[in-house]
Amino acid sequence: MKIYILNTGYLETKRKYVVASDNSTAFDENKIMKLPVMAILIDHPDGKVLYDLGSNPNAMEGYWPKHLREAYPLFQTVDQRLENQLALCHTTLDEIETIVISHFHLDHCGNLNLFPNAVVYAPKEDFIWGQCLVREDINPATHGGYVKADLDAPIKKYHLVDKDMEIFSGIDIISLPGHTPNLLGLMVHTENSGTIIFPQDSVYNEEIYGPPAKVSGLLYNKQDFLNSIEKVRHLQQKHNAMVVYAHDEKFFQTLKKAPLYYD
Ligand SMILES: [Zn+2]
């Protein structure tokens, strides 16, 4: 089994959206932070699994509504497009039959339209929440971090998940609610690199993880969010695992990126 970390570019946003303000004068809430956006390809003997999909490459050309282009501008080179990152791993779009979506925010499911033949594992409560939100009011400014076009992608089959489960031998989905109504983290047990946990937006960065944990600037449920971080910490200690923070610029630089891999 090989695990490739795909660099699909980065977003910029204000610090207050990443870490909740502590109301001290030292907290610069408007400081611009660079948030790397990754997708993960797992080449498993039973098939190739893609975990999260980055942002749609047309995001800044009007695919995203204005409020998202302003709050989270996307920076992505042609080389960082998902299909070109997969090509680095000698993988074509057609080869991906299994996808796991952590949650339906703009920077995690933006290329669903590329995979009409894949089976997509997705967090049940977040799927329902997002689908309802983008249909309740036509004004996209009321849709939070969800993009209606992403949620409209023609998928062969959704497999909605509401509990921890193993999808392939050594690949576990872990349920981590709080950032959104539910969020699917991934825990992968490898032969040479040990256990690797991808909590995605349950743990944006090292500052959020602590200990002590900090809450992020945007949340669905604060107590669930904190409980999910402690669940990650428990699993990290149990398996002596590496935790891969979702959007940590400094940490991202230390990771092996495709075409390099963990195995
Ligand atoms: Zn998110």
Side-chain angles (χ1 to χ4, degrees), residues 103 105-108 179-180 183 201 204 247:
H103 65 305
H105 278 167
L106 68 168
D107 50 335
H108 295 267
H179 174 74
T180 44
L183 183 152
D201 288 5
Y204 274 153
H247 296 297

